Amino acid sequence: MRMVRIRWIGATVVAAAVLSVGAAPAGAADYPVPYLFTANVVAAALHPGTPPPGANDWSCRPTAAHPRPVVLVHGLFANMTDNWQTMSPLLANHGYCVFALTYGETSSAPAPGADFGGLTTMEASAGQLSAFVDRVLAATGTRKVDIVGHSEGATMPDYYLEYLGGAAKVARYVGVSGVKHGTTLHGIGTFVTAFESLFPGTPDPTSGTCQSCSEFLVGSGYIAAIEARAPAAGVTYTNISTRYDELVSPYTSSFLSGRRVTNITLQDHCALDFSDHLSIISSPITGQYILNALDPAHAVPAPCVPVAPAA
């Protein structure tokens, strides 16, 4: 069993080291793109609170090829540093103006020294996203942005689009492992178990400190609110999911229906993809689907390479 695991990780590392997703335009940035979730962990330890590579250059001006800036929205208990070490440099290398924020922080962190975002109610976080998008629009001189979000970052923006006027300011919304219809107690229970294994002795992260956690559950008031108006008129949605998502239960809760909606299950394309809720955002397969969603006129087939779960 141990030998199989070593071979699998080795194959993934090789794929991560040699794979080039898409073709970056001439003259674009040339940031390293690590296709390993551990890159997020290392960056959070070494450079906490800093934008990911390629993000938050406030002098960046969108080009005719990519006329809208991309706003990256992190997941629950994450931040801009530890969520986007793969996708931020990938997008910058393809000529996008990339911007990232950390939202939903509270004064009491559930683990010492940790920089956790997404903890306030998603309605409150949507207000922070709204202000950030307005700042990006003002800085870049554009009328609309595209949003790429992961986990809560593919759930909270729905409220922004549907209730805070965001639909008029967003053209494309790419959600990775979002929760559009709620997750079950199994999904929340899995999250708590994983969190406690990372931070032994800390309190249950869903008790008190995390105001948004209960909003993810099936039947919550928040889920009822976003279901009532989804999808937002005029916005093009792409929802990307993995069958091995431990936290979004069932994984099809990431999906919507509608004329301007595309739903993608990674394993329908590649049986070698075993990405889970975390590693999905560091996968070259996911990366190509994001690029295709943002620029469908120049879409290319996503690669099929081994992707291991992070857990």
Side-chain angles (χ1 to χ4, degrees):
M1 188 66 166
R2 181 175 298 175
M3 290 180 64
V4 172
R5 180 64 172 167
I6 291 172
R7 288 171 183 164
W8 173 251
I9 293 174
T12 307
V13 170
V14 170
V18 303
L19 185 66
S20 176
V21 171
D30 188 23
Y31 296 101
V33 180
Y35 292 107
L36 291 170
F37 181 77
T38 50
N40 294 305
V41 179
V42 171
L46 297 180
H47 310 290
T50 61
N56 293 2
D57 174 2
W58 295 96
S59 66
C60 186
R61 295 296 177 266
T63 63
H66 300 305
R68 293 180 301 275
V70 177
V71 174
L72 302 179
V73 189
H74 64 74
L76 177 63
F77 282 87
N79 56 63
M80 65 176 171
T81 308
D82 64 18
N83 212 136
W84 299 115
Q85 293 297 312
T86 300
M87 298 307 166
S88 180
L90 176 66
L91 291 169
N93 288 353
H94 280 78
Y96 288 94
C97 291
V98 182
F99 298 89
L101 77 161
T102 296
Y103 64 88
E105 295 172 294
T106 65
S107 57
S108 56
D115 181 17
F116 292 123
L119 301 181
T120 59
T121 66
M122 283 191 266
E123 294 91 338
S125 292
Q128 289 183 270
L129 174 61
S130 177
F132 188 79
V133 169
D134 287 349
R135 182 186 175 195
V136 170
L137 292 176
T140 57
T142 52
R143 296 178 57 191
K144 290 190 176 185
V145 303
D146 292 333
I147 288 178
V148 175
H150 172 230
S151 185
E152 183 175 351
T155 308
M156 173 272 285
D158 294 68
Y159 192 89
Y160 165 60
L161 296 178
E162 298 170 21
Y163 291 93
L164 301 183
K169 302 175 183 179
V170 176
R172 298 184 181 276
Y173 176 23
V174 185
V176 181
S177 289
V179 184
K180 309 299 189 183
H181 306 287
T183 186
T184 64
L185 286 170
H186 168 74
I188 294 295
T190 302
F191 167 72
V192 171
T193 300
F195 184 90
E196 290 175 343
S197 69
L198 290 171
F199 302 102
T202 58
D204 179 347
T206 64
S207 62
T209 301
C210 182
Q211 300 166 22
S212 64
C213 285
S214 62
E215 295 187 309
F216 289 96
L217 290 173
V218 172
S220 73
Y222 180 83
I223 292 298
I226 64 171
E227 284 182 321
R229 296 190 179 182
V235 179
T236 299
Y237 290 70
T238 302
N239 302 309
I240 303 170
S241 76
T242 171
R243 287 197 177 96
Y244 304 108
D245 198 314
E246 323 93 309
L247 306 186
V248 182
S249 172
Y251 72 90
T252 51
S253 184
S254 294
F255 294 158
L256 291 171
S257 59
R259 184 174 59 86
R260 300 171 69 98
V261 176
T262 300
N263 298 314
I264 298 168
T265 302
L266 294 175
Q267 289 73 31
D268 288 347
H269 161 70
C270 182
L272 299 176
D273 190 334
F274 288 87
S275 56
D276 59 8
H277 189 78
L278 295 180
S279 65
I280 190 174
I281 205 58
S282 303
S283 158
I285 303 174
T286 303
Q288 188 59 60
Y289 276 121
I290 290 173
L291 291 172
N292 291 349
L294 295 175
D295 188 8
H298 299 93
V300 301
C304 183
V305 295
V307 180

